[in-house]
Amino acid sequence: MSIIKDFLLQLTLMVIPIFIYFTFITEKVKGDQNKNVLMTFLWGISILLCMSFPLTFGQDARLDLRFIPLLFATLYLGFRPGVFLSVLVILYRLYSGISIGFYTTVLVLLLSLPVILFYQKSFANSNKDNRVKIAVGLAFYYCLIGLTSSGILNGFSIDDVKVQIIHLFFVVAVTWIFTMLMETIREIHQLRSELLNSEKLRVVSELSSVFAHEIRNPMQVTRGFLQLLNDPELSKSKKDYIKISIEELDRANEIIDEFLMLGKPAINNNIKVNAGYQLERVINIIQGYSISHQVEIKTNIEDNCWIDANPQKLNQSLINIMKNAVESMPEGGTVWVTCSSTGNDTIKITIKDQGIGMTKKQLDRLGSPFYSLKEKGTGLGMMVSFQIIRSFKGKIIVNSEKGMGTEFIILLPQISQK
């Protein structure tokens, strides 16, 4: 009973950072980098508290739940927080004195941290169910390494093995519960954000639908008269003025279409679609545009990429992303396009360019309405693309660095070909 009580104390110490993060930090702190720094600090405090009040047994042997904050920090925050907190664990354990326990701690971290870092990117790109599986699997692996290392360095005894087994089951169970909890809370926050965006789009839709018809009529009349004025005898400068005027009218019409697209209710008319085939069609459509910009498109597309989607909307989303990739390279370059199955019931489409890239601040705002890096852009096209992928129960992950290009990763649920 004393063992369970000590573990429950450890559990309480670990809950505090999660409570603080989702109660205060997500609402009041702006910027992912600031949030990551604060969360790393909170996980560090949790680790120190867990190590300060361990379960002691045998000859100065200790057990605690330090691994769970370390695991969550590495999986959710990335490489640097994971390494930083691992060093923190070693230094704090060194402060407690050099003993067999210290060597066990170092050995277990050396064997487990590289594995966690290896799965970190897969965890970030996975859905909720796969994230839970990865986290639980890593927790089981860590405890197994800890049990084996402790037995080798301290010697095996029945009592010690019993405590280690209790530790294993407790860590795995707590990891499963807290991963489910964090993923559920993240989903609630995401749904809340989407609800706010939907309300904004509803207002935009109502306004645009009211004015679209009245605006388009004089635009079409103006366009028609401009075409009539385009007489062969006009000077080149006047012809250029007419051409620019028609192009600007067409662009205004496209913006109206994008406004109306945002507010249209989603109609589920999806069918079984080979994403690889649609991607090849999009590449053929945009090939001429890319050549005119001195951009080469290289592909690696697999056959078994079946998804449940609307092919026209999928093409619209892919064309917009690929067009942006081409336009991001004013001096020319290469766009790499791939489509493959990840092996966990997910199709992965990547579109990677060698363009100007984006800063972290620009990346955070990507997909927001009226935000665009292009001089005459509205940001609505990219927002529509995000909306289309979400309607297929997929998601878009964007990796970018200023001056180093941008990579779009589109993850969509895979279905059987039959």
Side-chain angles (χ1 to χ4, degrees):
M1 185 62 68
S2 177
I3 294 175
I4 301 298
K5 183 178 69 175
D6 290 338
F7 276 136
L8 289 176
L9 172 62
Q10 298 270 317
L11 188 63
T12 303
L13 296 174
M14 201 189 69
V15 168
I16 296 173
I18 299 176
F19 173 78
I20 294 175
Y21 178 77
F22 285 110
T23 305
F24 301 104
I25 294 178
T26 53
E27 297 293 334
K28 297 182 180 180
V29 178
K30 303 298 181 183
D32 289 340
Q33 186 174 357
N34 293 332
K35 290 180 181 179
N36 289 349
V37 170
L38 287 174
M39 201 59 203
T40 301
F41 174 77
L42 290 173
W43 284 131
I45 295 295
S46 179
I47 288 173
L48 294 178
L49 290 174
C50 286
M51 295 179 68
S52 299
F53 302 97
L55 164 68
T56 303
F57 68 98
Q59 297 181 350
D60 197 30
R62 301 178 178 186
L63 288 178
D64 53 61
L65 297 182
R66 77 186 81 161
F67 169 73
I68 298 179
L70 175 61
L71 176 67
F72 285 165
T74 307
L75 292 179
Y76 283 102
L77 304 182
F79 175 83
R80 291 182 180 178
V83 173
F84 171 77
L85 293 178
S86 298
V87 173
L88 180 67
V89 169
I90 294 174
L91 291 177
Y92 189 76
R93 192 65 184 85
L94 180 62
Y95 173 78
S96 301
I98 297 178
S99 62
I100 294 178
F102 170 76
Y103 294 119
T104 303
T105 298
V106 174
L107 179 60
V108 172
L109 282 175
L110 288 175
L111 293 174
S112 58
L113 184 61
V115 177
I116 299 173
L117 293 173
F118 176 79
Y119 281 100
Q120 191 274 327
K121 192 170 184 179
S122 297
F123 180 87
N125 295 336
S126 297
N127 56 30
K128 177 181 176 180
D129 292 338
N130 288 327
R131 284 188 171 194
V132 173
K133 292 176 183 177
I134 291 172
V136 170
L138 291 172
F140 182 83
Y141 171 78
Y142 171 85
C143 292
L144 199 60
I145 292 295
L147 190 153
T148 305
S149 301
S150 178
I152 293 173
L153 296 177
N154 297 320
F156 289 96
S157 69
I158 295 177
D159 291 338
D160 290 352
V161 171
K162 285 182 180 179
V163 174
Q164 290 278 5
I165 291 175
I166 292 174
H167 178 255
L168 185 150
F169 281 107
F170 198 80
V171 169
V172 169
V174 171
T175 300
W176 179 78
I177 292 170
F178 275 81
T179 307
M180 290 288 293
L181 176 64
M182 291 184 67
E183 289 299 314
T184 301
I185 295 175
R186 281 162 59 91
E187 285 183 349
I188 292 172
H189 276 272
Q190 185 178 354
L191 288 173
R192 180 183 176 188
S193 177
E194 290 177 356
L195 183 63
L196 291 174
N197 286 334
S198 297
E199 183 62 23
K200 293 177 183 178
L201 293 178
R202 186 185 65 80
V203 175
V204 171
S205 171
E206 291 179 356
L207 290 174
S208 60
S209 60
V210 169
F211 293 111
H213 180 71
E214 298 302 325
I215 293 173
R216 272 178 167 165
N217 281 342
M219 282 174 55
Q220 292 301 323
V221 172
T222 304
R223 192 181 191 282
F225 279 117
L226 285 171
Q227 288 176 319
L228 291 174
L229 289 173
N230 194 10
D231 192 275
E233 297 180 359
L234 288 175
S235 64
K236 184 178 183 303
S237 60
K238 291 183 178 180
K239 286 184 177 182
D240 290 339
Y241 293 150
I242 292 174
K243 180 182 177 184
I244 292 171
S245 299
I246 292 175
E247 288 176 351
E248 289 301 302
L249 285 172
D250 290 340
R251 192 172 73 87
N253 194 52
E254 288 176 2
I255 293 173
I256 293 173
D257 287 337
E258 289 175 342
F259 266 112
L260 295 175
M261 179 67 70
L262 285 173
K264 285 183 180 179
I267 302 174
N268 188 8
N269 54 356
N270 297 343
I271 60 174
K272 186 183 294 184
V273 174
N274 187 341
Y277 173 73
Q278 296 300 324
L279 195 55
E280 289 175 344
R281 288 192 62 187
V282 167
I283 292 170
N284 289 332
I285 292 171
I286 207 169
Q287 194 78 49
Y289 187 74
S290 65
I291 292 173
S292 67
H293 284 72
Q294 298 179 337
V295 173
E296 180 185 5
I297 299 177
K298 294 184 178 181
T299 64
N300 182 16
I301 300 174
E302 296 182 1
D303 293 330
N304 188 25
C305 294
W306 294 89
I307 60 173
D308 186 40
N310 180 301
Q312 286 76 28
K313 288 185 177 180
L314 177 63
N315 290 354
Q316 178 186 356
S317 177
L318 294 174
I319 287 173
N320 188 45
I321 295 173
M322 209 171 297
K323 187 170 177 284
N324 284 350
V326 171
E327 292 174 349
S328 72
M329 296 180 285
E331 304 299 326
T334 304
V335 174
W336 289 273
V337 180
T338 68
C339 181
S340 62
S341 172
T342 63
N344 55 359
D345 298 328
T346 303
I347 293 301
K348 179 180 178 182
I349 298 173
T350 62
I351 300 172
K352 185 176 181 180
D353 62 58
Q354 298 175 309
I356 58 177
M358 290 177 279
T359 63
K360 187 68 170 64
K361 186 176 180 180
Q362 291 171 334
L363 199 59
D364 291 339
R365 296 189 62 188
L366 188 67
S368 302
F370 313 114
Y371 179 75
S372 175
L373 298 177
K374 292 183 282 189
E375 184 178 350
K376 295 184 178 181
T378 63
L380 295 176
M382 187 57 67
M383 188 173 184
V384 168
S385 297
F386 276 77
Q387 182 177 323
I388 289 172
I389 297 302
R390 282 197 296 268
S391 71
F392 300 152
K393 300 181 180 178
K395 65 177 180 178
I396 299 178
I397 301 170
V398 186
N399 301 317
S400 185
E401 188 175 343
K402 194 68 176 177
M404 300 296 291
T406 302
E407 179 185 36
F408 278 81
I409 301 174
I410 303 173
L411 301 174
L412 293 164
Q414 185 179 19
I415 62 174
S416 174
Q417 184 176 355
K418 296 180 181 179

